[in-house]
C-alpha cells in the first residue's frame, strides 16, 4: 500500500508542475484532462501527508517516553497518535479502492410496473415519487423523458434523467426488482397482495463516441401526451426510435420540436445500447454488473416494501429498517449508506456476492 502511495504522491507532484506549464494552460482539453487527474489524486495525497505527519509525531512521542519526567504525558500522547494512525490507515485503504469511473455521472432511470397489474403500476408511481423526493433532498435535478401512465394511477413506464453530484454513485444500487406487500386500494377483502416494479439505472455516457448507423434506426412520430392522456401538442413532435439489430426502443416527448425530441431520443438510445453492451461483456466474463452488491439486472429481487409492518428490507445485505413511511417520502439515505458501506467492506476483503 505504501509503495502505491509513494507513486501516487510522485505522480501528483508531476501533475502540479505540468499544470503550471504555460503550454498546458493554453491547451484547454489537456488542461481539463490533467486537472481532473490531479483532482482524483488530491484527497489520497493529502491523507498520506497526514499519515506521514502523525507517524513522525508518533516517533517523537516514543522518544520522549524515555524521559522520566515526561514519560506519563508522552505515553498518553503516543497512545492517541497510535489510534489516529490506525484510523488514517483504514481511511487510506478505502481511498485506494479503485473508483467506479461512472460514480460522478448523471443517470437515466427507468421504472416499470411489472407483476401485479394495476397495483404494480401504482407501486411504480410510488417509487417514482420516492426517488423524486430523494433527489430533491440531494439538490439533484430531475427531467422527465417519457412516461406511460397506468389506467388506475402510477406508471406502466416512466423514464427520467437525474442530474447532480455523485448521482450514479448513490443510485447505482437501485437497479433490480422492487417488491411491495400491501392491501391494494381495489382489494375489497382486505387481503395483502404482492406486486413488483423494476428499476434500471444507467450512467450517462459521452454519446459522441458511440456510433449507430442511420439504416439501423426506425423512427416513428406521434402526438405528445400529457398527464391523463391529454394532447399537449397538435403536431407529431413525439419521437420513438427503435434500434433494429438489438430491438432496443426509446421514446421522447418532452420537447415541442420533433427535431429536439429526436436528438434527445438518439442520445438515450446510445446510452441504452452502451449499457446493454457493457452488461453482456461483464456476463461473458462471469461477472454481474459493476458490483455483486447492487447493479444487477431487473430480474434480481433486491428489496421488499412491507406496508403492514412498516418495514423495508434490502435482501442483498440483509438490512431492514422499520421506517417504510419515511423511506417512501424520500429518506433513502440509511439504506444507500448501508449498501455503500457493505460494498466497501467486500472490496477491502476481496470478496463478492455470488
Amino acid at each position: 500500500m505504501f509503495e502505491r502511495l509513494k507513486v501516487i504522491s510522485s505522480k501528483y507532484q508531476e501533475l502540479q508542475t505540468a499544470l503550471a506549464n504555460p503550454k498546458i494552460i493554453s491547451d484547454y482539453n489537456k488542461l481539463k484532462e490533467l486537472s481532473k487527474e490531479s483532482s482524483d489524486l488530491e484527497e489520497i495525497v493529502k491523507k498520506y501527508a497526514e499519515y506521514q505527519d502523525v507517524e513522525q509525531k508518533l516517533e517523537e512521542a516514543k522518544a520522549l517516553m524515555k524521559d522520566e519526567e515526561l514519560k506519563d504525558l508522552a505515553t498518553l500522547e503516543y497512545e492517541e497518535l497510535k489510534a489516529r494512525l490506525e484510523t488514517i490507515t483504514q481511511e487510506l485503504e478505502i481511498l485506494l479502492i479503485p473508483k467506479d469511473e461512472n460514480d460522478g455521472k448523471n443517470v437515466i432511470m427507468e421504472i416499470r410496473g411489472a407483476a401485479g397489474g394495476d397495483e404494480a403500476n401504482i407501486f411504480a408511481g410510488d417509487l417514482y415519487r420516492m426517488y423524486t423526493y430523494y433527489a430533491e433532498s440531494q439538490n439533484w435535478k430531475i427531467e422527465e423523458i417519457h412516461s406511460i401512465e397506468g389506467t388506475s394511477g402510477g406508471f406502466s413506464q416512466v423514464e427520467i434523467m437525474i442530474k447532480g453530484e455523485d448521482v450514479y454513485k448513490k443510485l447505482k444500487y437501485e437497479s433490480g426488482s422492487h417488491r411491495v406487500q400491501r392491501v391494494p386500494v381495489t382489494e375489497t377483502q382486505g387481503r395483502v397482495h404482492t406486486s413488483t416494479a423494476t428499476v434500471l439505472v444507467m450512467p450517462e455516457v459521452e454519446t459522441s463516441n458511440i456510433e449507430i448507423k442511420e439504416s439501423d434506426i426506425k423512427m416513428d412520430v406521434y402526438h405528445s401526451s400529457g398527464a391523463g392522456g391529454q394532447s399537449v401538442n397538435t403536431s407529431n413532435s413525439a419521437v420513438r426510435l427503435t434500434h433494429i439489430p438489438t430491438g432496443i426502443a426509446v421514446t421522447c416527448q418532452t420537447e415541442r420540436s420533433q427535431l429536439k425530441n429526436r436528438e434527445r431520443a438518439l442520445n438515450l438510445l446510445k446510452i441504452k445500447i452502451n449499457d446493454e453492451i457493457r452488461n453482456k461483456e461483464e456476463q461473458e466474463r462471469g461477472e454481474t454488473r459493476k458490483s455483486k452488491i447492487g447493479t444487477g439486472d431487473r430480474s434480481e429481487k433486491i428489496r421488499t416494501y412491507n406496508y403492514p409492518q412498516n418495514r423495508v428490507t434490502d435482501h442483498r445485505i440483509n438490512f431492514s429498517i422499520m421506517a417504510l413511511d419515511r423511506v417512501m417520502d424520500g429518506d433513502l439515505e440509511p439504506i444507500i449508506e448501508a449498501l455503500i458501506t457493505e460494498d466497501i467492506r467486500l472490496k477491502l476483503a476481496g470478496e463478492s456476492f455470488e
Side-chain angles (χ1 to χ4, degrees):
M1 181 177 82
F2 293 103
E3 286 302 317
R4 284 182 64 195
L5 288 168
K6 290 175 183 177
V7 171
I8 289 171
S9 294
S10 178
K11 178 63 176 177
Y12 181 77
Q13 294 305 320
E14 290 175 9
L15 288 168
Q16 300 315 298
T17 301
L19 288 168
N21 188 323
K23 291 184 179 180
I24 299 295
I25 294 173
S26 62
D27 185 338
Y28 174 76
N29 290 330
K30 192 65 176 177
L31 180 64
K32 183 179 178 182
E33 177 189 339
L34 296 184
S35 294
K36 184 183 184 304
E37 193 174 351
S38 173
S39 177
D40 290 342
L41 298 179
E42 186 173 16
E43 188 177 3
I44 297 174
V45 171
K46 286 184 176 180
K47 185 60 65 176
Y48 182 43
E50 183 183 353
Y51 176 93
Q52 291 173 309
D53 180 59
V54 173
E55 187 178 41
Q56 181 180 339
K57 290 178 179 177
L58 189 67
E59 290 301 315
E60 292 171 356
K62 187 176 181 180
L64 289 174
M65 287 168 61
K66 298 176 182 179
D67 189 318
E68 287 298 325
E69 293 184 3
L70 299 174
K71 183 178 180 180
D72 291 343
L73 186 62
T75 299
L76 180 62
E77 183 179 8
Y78 178 85
E79 293 300 327
E80 290 176 351
L81 288 168
K82 185 179 178 182
R84 178 60 188 148
L85 200 66
E86 290 176 358
T87 299
I88 296 173
T89 301
Q90 293 172 356
E91 292 170 347
L92 282 169
E93 288 175 345
I94 293 172
L95 287 172
L96 287 172
I97 293 174
K99 291 184 178 180
D100 186 336
E101 62 181 12
N102 293 317
D103 276 354
K105 293 182 179 179
N106 301 325
V107 307
I108 302 292
M109 175 180 280
E110 179 184 285
I111 307 170
R112 292 175 180 262
D118 288 341
E119 171 64 7
N121 293 339
I122 292 170
F123 179 50
D126 292 339
L127 291 177
Y128 170 78
R129 174 178 171 272
M130 177 185 77
Y131 289 123
T132 298
Y133 285 164
Y134 179 65
E136 289 174 355
S137 75
Q138 301 294 308
N139 295 315
W140 296 338
K141 182 181 178 182
I142 288 185
E143 296 177 9
E144 187 174 311
I145 299 171
H146 171 62
S147 65
I148 303 174
E149 295 188 350
T151 55
S152 298
F155 298 97
S156 64
Q157 178 183 349
V158 59
E159 291 175 305
I160 55 178
M161 166 78 81
I162 307 178
K163 299 180 177 181
E165 184 179 353
D166 290 337
V167 181
Y168 186 73
K169 179 180 180 180
K170 291 197 169 185
L171 292 182
K172 63 183 176 181
Y173 304 102
E174 296 305 299
S175 288
S177 178
H178 296 241
R179 181 175 68 174
V180 63
Q181 295 175 327
R182 64 184 177 189
V183 179
V185 177
T186 55
E187 170 57 52
T188 58
Q189 303 298 320
R191 293 172 296 185
V192 174
H193 287 226
T194 297
S195 303
T196 59
T198 60
V199 175
L200 179 62
V201 178
M202 297 168 286
E204 186 181 23
V205 295
E206 182 53 62
T207 55
S208 61
N209 298 327
I210 302 172
E211 294 185 7
I212 300 178
K213 295 179 182 178
E214 283 294 329
S215 59
D216 287 340
I217 300 175
K218 176 188 175 186
M219 185 173 86
D220 298 300
V221 295
Y222 56 95
H223 288 182
S224 297
S225 297
Q230 304 98 334
S231 175
V232 296
N233 197 330
T234 56
S235 63
N236 289 329
S237 62
V239 172
R240 178 186 294 109
L241 298 181
T242 303
H243 186 240
I244 298 169
T246 61
I248 295 173
V250 299
T251 304
C252 185
Q253 59 182 33
T254 55
E255 305 289 345
R256 300 187 68 84
S257 160
Q258 183 186 120
L259 185 63
K260 289 183 178 179
N261 275 328
R262 188 187 188 284
E263 183 180 349
R264 293 197 67 177
L266 183 59
N267 285 337
L268 179 58
L269 184 63
K270 288 180 177 180
I271 289 171
K272 285 196 171 187
I273 291 173
N274 180 74
D275 190 71
E276 182 72 14
I277 292 171
R278 189 165 53 95
N279 186 23
K280 286 182 178 179
E281 287 176 348
E282 288 170 354
Q283 286 179 342
E284 287 173 2
R285 291 197 301 266
E287 303 171 359
T288 56
R289 298 170 64 189
K290 298 303 289 180
S291 163
K292 296 287 185 179
I293 194 172
T295 49
D297 60 33
R298 278 183 289 209
S299 65
E300 176 191 9
K301 183 183 72 177
I302 64 169
R303 195 174 297 151
T304 295
Y305 303 73
N306 186 298
Y307 275 73
Q309 298 179 19
N310 196 39
R311 185 183 69 234
V312 180
T313 300
D314 195 288
H315 304 290
R316 296 162 294 179
I317 57 174
N318 296 319
F319 176 86
S320 292
I321 182 171
M322 309 300 288
L324 181 144
D325 51 344
R326 297 203 301 273
V327 169
M328 298 310 293
D329 282 338
D331 188 12
L332 267 172
E333 199 67 13
I335 299 174
I336 289 174
E337 285 299 323
L339 286 162
I340 291 173
T341 299
E342 180 64 4
D343 200 7
I344 290 172
R345 187 193 71 79
L346 289 171
K347 286 173 180 175
L348 286 173
E351 299 175 7
S352 59
F353 282 100
E354 296 300 331

